[in-house]
C-alpha cells in the first residue's frame, strides 16, 4: 500500500500541491473524454435552414355555359433542411489550454530552480527555447513586432530562477511557486494591457502551438513502454515460492498487446483492411499516462542525478501528462484532424518501438529471474547486462524508422494542423482572406485533410460561390469524412442547379452515415421535390424517430404532402393527429393552413388557428407566410378587425417587401 499511495510520506505542503495537480489531471481527463467522443462537435454543429416556397392552390371556381373553370393562387409552404455550420471557435477551450500551459510552466520553473549547476544551465537553455517557441513577437507588445515579448519574459524569469538556484537555494516549495505564479500572472496582465493583437490568447495558442505539441511528443515517448511495464508488475508483484510460469505469462501478454498495436499500425498505413475491432491510440494514451504515475517513480534510479521523484519528479511527470492530454483535448474540440492524426502516429510508433525494445530489454536481463518466478518488477530498471539507456536509444531508432518509412507524412500532417490553427485565428478575427491562405497551406501539407477543406468550403459558401464550395466539401469527404461535409456538399450542388448530383451525393452519404437523421431529413426534401413522395415520406418517418430532427421532419411531412396533394388521398385531420406533436410550431401551422386551403371541406383543425399580430407590427418571412395563408383560409369570413390589422401592417415601411401579396 505504501508504494500505491507513495505521497503519504511527503511533507503536507508538498502533498497538498500534488493533490492539486491530481485534481487538474482529473479535470483534463474529463475534457479529454468529452472531446474525444464528441469530436468534431462543438467546432461543427447542425444548423436548421427554413425555406419558404410557393405552391399553387385552387381558391375558386366558376362556370361558363357547360364548362367548369377553376383558378389558383400561390400559397406558401415551409421546408426545413439542415446544414453543417461554419467553423465555430470556442474561446473557453483556448483559455483552458492557455491556463493549463501557464500552470505547467510555473511548475517547470520551480523544478528548474532546484537543479544542480549543469542541469540548471541546460534547463535554462531549454526554457529559452520554449519561450521563443511561443512566438511572443506576434503579440505586438507596445506595438513592436520584434523580440520584445521574449526579452521581457526572459527578464522576468531568468533572474528569479537564478535567485532561487544560487542565492536562496534553501527556500522551499511555496515561495518558489508563489514567485513564479506572480511573475506569470504579471506577464499575462502585461499582454492583456499592452498587446495590440486583437485576441492575444488565441495568438499565443495558435502561433505558440509548437511548444505544447513538442512537450506532448516528449511525454508520449516517455510513456511508450508503460503498458508493457505494467504487465511485468501485474505478473510478478504477487509472486511467491509457489508461483509458476511468470516468464510465459509476461511474454504472452506483451506479444498479444504489441501484436494488436502492430495491427493498428498496418490498418492506418493502409496495408490491412480487415473488418475487426482495433485498438484506439487515443484510448491507449490516457491508460499509459495513468500507469506512468507509479511507473515513473520506479524509474527514479535512471534520473536521480537530475532530481528526486519525491516530490519534484512527481510534479514533473504530472505537468507533462496534463499538458499532453490538454493539447490532445484541444485538437479534439477544434476538430483539427491532421494534428490528431500526427499525434496518433506518434503514439502508435512509440508504443511499438519503445514497447518492443522494453520487452526485449526485460527478457535479455531478467529471463532467469522470471523463470524462477521472482518479483522482477522491483529491479526492472537495475539491469545486470543490457543497459536501460541502450534500450531507449534503440527504441528511438525504431520509432524514427517508422516515421521515415511513412515518408515524414506525420510531420507534414503536424504542419497542416499548425496552419489550420493560425487560419482559425484569422477566421475568428474576421480576416477571411488571410484565413483562407492559411487553410490552403494546411490543405497543401495535409493533403485532403477534412479540416482545411471544410473551412475552405464554408468560406466559399459565404462568398456565394457554391461551385467552389461543392469542390472543397467533396475534398473534405475523401479523408475522415463527416456528415456535416456530406450535407453541405449536397446543399451546394442543389444551389448550383445540379439537383440530381445533390440527390446522389446524399445517397452516398447515407451509405457512410446511415443512422444520421439529418441526412434522412434532407434526402426526404430532395425526393419530395422530384415527386417521389413515397420515398420522401419514408425518410421523414425515420427522421421523426430522432428527437433532434422530429420537429423539422413533422413540418416537412406537411410540406411534402402539400406539394403532392393532388396525387394523394388523405384526411387532413387524421394526418395532423398522427403526425404533428408540436401544434404551436409556426412552420407546422403555415403548412397546415395550406392543407386546409387545399381541402376546405375539413374544418375540425381550423378552430385552433388564429392570427395574432406581431407586437412590433414588423413581419418576418414566417409571420407573413402564416398571415397570407390565413387570409385565404378565412376568405369572406375575415372580419373587419382582421382586415384593419392587415391594412396597418401593409402601411408599415418595414413591411414593404410584403406590400404586393398582402394587398392582393
Amino acid at each position: 500500500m505504501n508504494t500505491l499511495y507513495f505521497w503519504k510520506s511527503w511533507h503536507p505542503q508538498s502533498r497538498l500541491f500534488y493533490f492539486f495537480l491530481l485534481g487538474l489531471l482529473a479535470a483534463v481527463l474529463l475534457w479529454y473524454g468529452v472531446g474525444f467522443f464528441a469530436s468534431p462537435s462543438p467546432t461543427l454543429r447542425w444548423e436548421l435552414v427554413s425555406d419558404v416556397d410557393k405552391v399553387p392552390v385552387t381558391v375558386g371556381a366558376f362556370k361558363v355555359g357547360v364548362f367548369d373553370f377553376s383558378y389558383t393562387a400561390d400559397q406558401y409552404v415551409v421546408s426545413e433542411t439542415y446544414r453543417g455550420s461554419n467553423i465555430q471557435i470556442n474561446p473557453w477551450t483556448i483559455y483552458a489550454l492557455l491556463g493549463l500551459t501557464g500552470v505547467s510552466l510555473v511548475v517547470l520553473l520551480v523544478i528548474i530552480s532546484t537543479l544542480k549547476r549543469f542541469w540548471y544551465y541546460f534547463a535554462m537553455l531549454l526554457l529559452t527555447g520554449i519561450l521563443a517557441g511561443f512566438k511572443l513577437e506576434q503579440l505586438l507588445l507596445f506595438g513592436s513586432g520584434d523580440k520584445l515579448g521574449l526579452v521581457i519574459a526572459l527578464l522576468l524569469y531568468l533572474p528569479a530562477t537564478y535567485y532561487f538556484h544560487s542565492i536562496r537555494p534553501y527556500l522551499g516549495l511555496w515561495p518558489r511557486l508563489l514567485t513564479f505564479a506572480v511573475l506569470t500572472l504579471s506577464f499575462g496582465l502585461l499582454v492583456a494591457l499592452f498587446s495590440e493583437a486583437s485576441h492575444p490568447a488565441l495568438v499565443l495558442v495558435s502561433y505558440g502551438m509548437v511548444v505544447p505539441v513538442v512537450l506532448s511528443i516528449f511525454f508520449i515517448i516517455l510513456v511508450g513502454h508503460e503498458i508493457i511495464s505494467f504487465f511485468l508488475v501485474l505478473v510478478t508483484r504477487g509472486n511467491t515460492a509457489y508461483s509458476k510460469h511468470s516468464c510465459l505469462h509476461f511474454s504472452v501478454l506483451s506479444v498479444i498487446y504489441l501484436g494488436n498495436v502492430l495491427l493498428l499500425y498496418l490498418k492506418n498505413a493502409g496495408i490491412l483492411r480487415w473488418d475487426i475491432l482495433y485498438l484506439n491510440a487515443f484510448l491507449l494514451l490516457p491508460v499509459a499516462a495513468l500507469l506512468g504515475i507509479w511507473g515513473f517513480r520506479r524509474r527514479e534510479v535512471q534520473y536521480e542525478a537530475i532530481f528526486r521523484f519525491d516530490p519534484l519528479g512527481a510534479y514533473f511527470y504530472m505537468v507533462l501528462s496534463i499538458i499532453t492530454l490538454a493539447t490532445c483535448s484541444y485538437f479534439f474540440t477544434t476538430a483539427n484532424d491532421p494534428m490528431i492524426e500526427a499525434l496518433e502516429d506518434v503514439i502508435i510508433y512509440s508504443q511499438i518501438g519503445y514497447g518492443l525494445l522494453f520487452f526485449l530489454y526485460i527478457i535479455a536481463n531478467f529471463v532467469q529471474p522470471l523463470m524462477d518466478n521472482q518479483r522482477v518488477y522491483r529491479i526492472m530498471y537495475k539491469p545486470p547486462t543490457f543497459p536501460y539507456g541502450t534500450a531507449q536509444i534503440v527504441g528511438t531508432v525504431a520509432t524514427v524508422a517508422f516515421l521515415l518509412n511513412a515518408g515524414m507524412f506525420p510531420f507534414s500532417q503536424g504542419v497542416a494542423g499548425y496552419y489550420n490553427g493560425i487560419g482559425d485565428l484569422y477566421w475568428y478575427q474576421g480576416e477571411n482572406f488571410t484565413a483562407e491562405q492559411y487553410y490552403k497551406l494546411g490543405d497543401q501539407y495535409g493533403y485532403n485533410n477534412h479540416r482545411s477543406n471544410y473551412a475552405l468550403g464554408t468560406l466559399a459558401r459565404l462568398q456565394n460561390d457554391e461551385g467552389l464550395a461543392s469542390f472543397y466539401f467533396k475534398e473534405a469527404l475523401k479523408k475522415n469524412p463527416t456528415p456535416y461535409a456530406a450535407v453541405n456538399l449536397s446543399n451546394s450542388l442543389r444551389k448550383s442547379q445540379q439537383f440530381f448530383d445533390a440527390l446522389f451525393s446524399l445517397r452516398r452519404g447515407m451509405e457512410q452515415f446511415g443512422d444520421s437523421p439529418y441526412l434522412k431529413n434532407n434526402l426526404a426534401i430532395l425526393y419530395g421535390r422530384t415527386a417521389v413522395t413515397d420515398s420522401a415520406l419514408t425518410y421523414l418517418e425515420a427522421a421523426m424517430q430522432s428527437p433532434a430532427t422530429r420537429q423539422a421532419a413533422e413540418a416537412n411531412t406537411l410540406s411534402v404532402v402539400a406539394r403532392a396533394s393532388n396525387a394523394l388521398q388523405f384526411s387532413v385531420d387524421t394526418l395532423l393527429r398522427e403526425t404533428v406533436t408540436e401544434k404551436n410550431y409556426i412552420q407546422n401551422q403555415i403548412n397546415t393552413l395550406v392543407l386546409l386551403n387545399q381541402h376546405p371541406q375539413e374544418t375540425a383543425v381550423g378552430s385552433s388557428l388564429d392570427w395574432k399580430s406581431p407586437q412590433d407590427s414588423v413581419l418576418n418571412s414566417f409571420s407573413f407566410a402564416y398571415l397570407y395563408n390565413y387570409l385565404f383560409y378565412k376568405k369572406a369570413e375575415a372580419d373587419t378587425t382582421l382586415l384593419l390589422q392587415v391594412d396597418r401592417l401593409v402601411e408599415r415601411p418595414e413591411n414593404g417587401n410584403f406590400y404586393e401579396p398582402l394587398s392582393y
Side-chain angles (χ1 to χ4, degrees):
M1 294 298 289
N2 289 334
T3 58
L4 186 61
Y5 303 106
F6 51 78
W7 50 80
K8 282 189 173 183
S9 59
W10 294 2
H11 189 281
Q13 292 184 352
S14 301
R15 187 165 62 240
L16 179 63
F17 186 67
Y18 189 69
F19 287 159
F20 168 74
L21 293 178
L22 280 174
L24 276 185
L25 179 61
V28 172
L29 280 170
L30 180 61
W31 181 19
Y32 185 95
V34 172
F36 176 75
F37 289 106
S39 188
S41 176
T43 298
L44 304 182
R45 305 171 185 170
W46 290 111
E47 293 179 347
L48 187 63
V49 180
S50 298
D51 295 318
V52 180
D53 300 318
K54 296 178 180 179
V55 293
V57 176
T58 300
V59 296
F62 59 91
K63 189 178 182 71
V64 177
V66 296
F67 299 102
D68 292 323
F69 295 92
S70 62
Y71 56 94
T72 63
D74 287 334
Q75 292 188 26
Y76 295 91
V77 295
V78 181
S79 301
E80 298 200 305
T81 55
Y82 290 92
R83 72 171 189 174
S85 68
N86 297 336
I87 300 297
Q88 306 290 312
I89 307 299
N90 187 345
W92 290 109
T93 61
I94 297 164
Y95 296 137
L97 180 60
L98 194 58
L100 291 167
T101 303
V103 171
S104 301
L105 179 62
V106 168
V107 177
L108 290 176
L109 285 166
V110 169
I111 296 172
I112 289 172
S113 69
T114 66
L115 298 179
K116 296 178 181 178
R117 184 171 297 273
F118 169 78
W119 293 109
Y120 169 75
Y121 289 117
F122 179 73
M124 291 309 300
L125 183 63
L126 293 179
L127 174 65
T128 304
I130 287 174
L131 293 175
F134 279 111
K135 296 193 174 180
L136 300 175
E137 63 272 15
Q138 297 295 333
L139 293 171
L140 303 178
L141 279 174
F142 303 101
S144 172
D146 296 328
K147 300 292 184 181
L148 180 60
L150 176 61
V151 171
I152 292 173
L154 291 174
L155 289 176
L156 283 173
Y157 291 130
L158 294 187
T161 58
Y162 185 79
Y163 176 82
F164 288 117
H165 173 264
S166 298
I167 301 175
R168 292 289 188 273
Y170 52 82
L171 290 178
L173 170 68
W174 289 103
R176 298 170 191 255
L177 274 176
L178 290 175
T179 300
F180 290 121
V182 168
L183 290 176
T184 302
L185 290 173
S186 299
F187 184 75
L189 183 62
L190 187 72
V191 169
L193 293 176
F194 300 106
S195 170
E196 295 190 8
S198 300
H199 301 90
L202 187 53
V203 168
L204 276 172
V205 169
S206 301
Y207 278 100
M209 185 51 66
V210 171
V211 173
V213 167
V214 170
L215 291 176
S216 298
I217 292 173
F218 174 73
F219 179 77
I220 290 169
I221 291 172
L222 188 69
V223 299
H225 72 283
E226 283 297 344
I227 294 179
I228 301 295
S229 172
F230 171 71
F231 291 153
L232 184 65
V233 176
L234 184 68
V235 169
T236 65
R237 184 181 180 85
N239 274 354
T240 66
Y242 303 100
S243 299
K244 297 180 180 179
H245 309 303
S246 294
C247 185
L248 177 63
H249 294 160
F250 170 68
S251 300
V252 169
L253 286 173
S254 300
V255 169
I256 290 175
Y257 173 73
L258 291 171
N260 276 275
V261 179
L262 182 61
L263 287 176
L264 176 60
Y265 164 74
L266 295 174
K267 186 208 51 141
N268 286 358
I271 299 173
L272 282 185
R273 301 187 184 277
W274 295 351
D275 187 17
I276 60 174
L277 183 64
Y278 294 91
L279 293 176
N280 188 290
F282 287 106
L283 295 180
L284 296 178
L285 178 60
V287 171
L290 291 175
L291 293 175
I293 293 175
W294 293 270
F296 193 66
R297 182 171 183 260
R298 299 188 189 98
R299 274 190 267 177
E300 184 179 21
V301 66
Q302 300 294 330
Y303 57 80
E304 60 185 353
I306 305 174
F307 50 64
R308 297 292 304 274
F309 177 81
D310 301 334
L312 295 182
Y315 294 163
F316 177 74
Y317 181 87
M318 196 60 64
V319 295
L320 283 181
S321 61
I322 288 171
I323 197 64
T324 301
L325 296 175
T327 302
C328 293
S329 303
Y330 179 77
F331 291 139
F332 293 151
T333 51
T334 56
N336 198 338
D337 62 297
M339 191 65 85
I340 292 172
E341 286 190 4
L343 289 176
E344 180 185 25
D345 288 338
V346 174
I347 295 169
I348 295 171
Y349 298 165
S350 63
Q351 288 291 315
I352 297 176
Y354 290 95
L356 176 61
L357 263 296
F358 185 78
F359 170 71
L360 296 177
Y361 156 84
I362 292 295
I363 296 299
N365 284 291
F366 306 109
V367 63
Q368 191 58 49
L370 274 173
M371 295 181 69
D372 293 338
N373 303 300
Q374 297 180 15
R375 297 183 180 182
V376 176
Y377 78 96
R378 292 179 172 176
I379 57 170
M380 71 171 91
Y381 294 109
K382 299 176 181 178
T385 53
F386 184 26
Y388 176 73
T390 303
Q392 290 293 92
I393 293 172
V394 179
T396 302
V397 172
T399 303
V400 172
F402 278 112
L403 181 63
L404 294 175
N405 185 62
M408 298 296 290
F409 185 66
F411 176 78
S412 298
Q413 291 280 79
V415 174
Y418 177 73
Y419 283 132
N420 282 343
I422 299 178
D424 288 347
L425 165 66
Y426 290 105
W427 161 258
Y428 190 73
Q429 294 179 169
E431 301 177 45
N432 291 2
F433 177 77
T434 307
E436 182 180 359
Q437 308 315 306
Y438 278 105
Y439 288 136
K440 285 181 177 178
L441 282 172
D443 185 36
Q444 178 181 338
Y445 279 92
Y447 183 64
N448 281 341
N449 78 83
H450 179 275
R451 184 61 154 73
S452 299
N453 283 290
Y454 187 96
L456 290 168
T458 57
L459 286 170
R461 184 172 66 184
L462 288 173
Q463 298 166 7
N464 295 318
D465 190 343
E466 298 295 346
L468 185 60
S470 61
F471 168 78
Y472 282 123
F473 287 131
K474 189 174 183 179
E475 292 294 297
L477 286 168
K478 291 182 178 179
K479 190 176 183 183
N480 299 318
T482 64
Y484 304 99
V487 164
N488 286 351
L489 172 61
S490 175
N491 291 344
S492 293
L493 289 171
R494 176 172 57 83
K495 292 178 181 178
S496 300
Q497 306 304 315
Q498 302 177 63
F499 189 84
F500 288 102
D501 287 338
L503 181 65
F504 294 144
S505 69
L506 265 188
R507 291 180 63 179
R508 286 193 295 270
M510 287 289 294
E511 295 175 1
Q512 291 178 298
F513 316 103
D515 291 331
S516 173
Y518 304 96
L519 270 71
K520 293 174 182 176
N521 178 84
N522 283 24
L523 189 58
I525 293 299
L526 290 178
Y527 274 124
R529 290 177 178 172
T530 55
V532 188
T533 309
D534 55 344
S535 295
L537 294 177
T538 298
Y539 281 113
L540 285 171
E541 184 178 4
M544 280 191 280
Q545 305 308 309
S546 170
T549 55
R550 180 173 182 81
Q551 192 167 255
E554 288 179 0
N556 289 334
T557 299
L558 301 182
S559 171
V560 168
V561 171
R563 292 175 185 275
S565 179
N566 295 332
L568 299 174
Q569 297 294 326
F570 64 95
S571 164
V572 177
D573 292 339
T574 303
L575 174 66
L576 295 173
R577 184 170 57 252
E578 296 182 355
T579 302
V580 179
T581 59
E582 297 288 340
K583 298 290 192 295
N584 295 325
Y585 191 46
I586 191 171
Q587 286 87 329
N588 285 340
Q589 294 178 337
I590 293 168
N591 294 342
T592 297
L593 285 167
V594 176
L595 292 173
L596 290 174
N597 289 331
Q598 290 175 335
H599 301 82
Q601 69 278 7
E602 298 193 41
T603 59
V605 180
S607 59
S608 64
L609 299 170
D610 193 15
W611 164 255
K612 294 181 180 179
S613 178
Q615 291 183 356
D616 57 2
S617 299
V618 177
L619 297 171
N620 57 34
S621 58
F622 292 145
S623 57
F624 158 71
Y626 183 96
L627 175 59
Y628 186 86
N629 293 349
Y630 183 74
L631 288 171
F632 274 96
Y633 173 66
K634 286 296 186 180
K635 296 179 184 172
E637 299 173 10
D639 57 26
T640 306
T641 303
L642 175 60
L643 296 178
L644 289 174
Q645 287 182 2
V646 175
D647 286 338
R648 286 195 295 269
L649 289 171
V650 169
E651 291 171 0
R652 290 285 302 247
E654 296 90 342
N655 297 327
N657 292 336
F658 309 119
Y659 175 82
E660 184 176 348
L662 286 179
S663 299
Y664 169 76

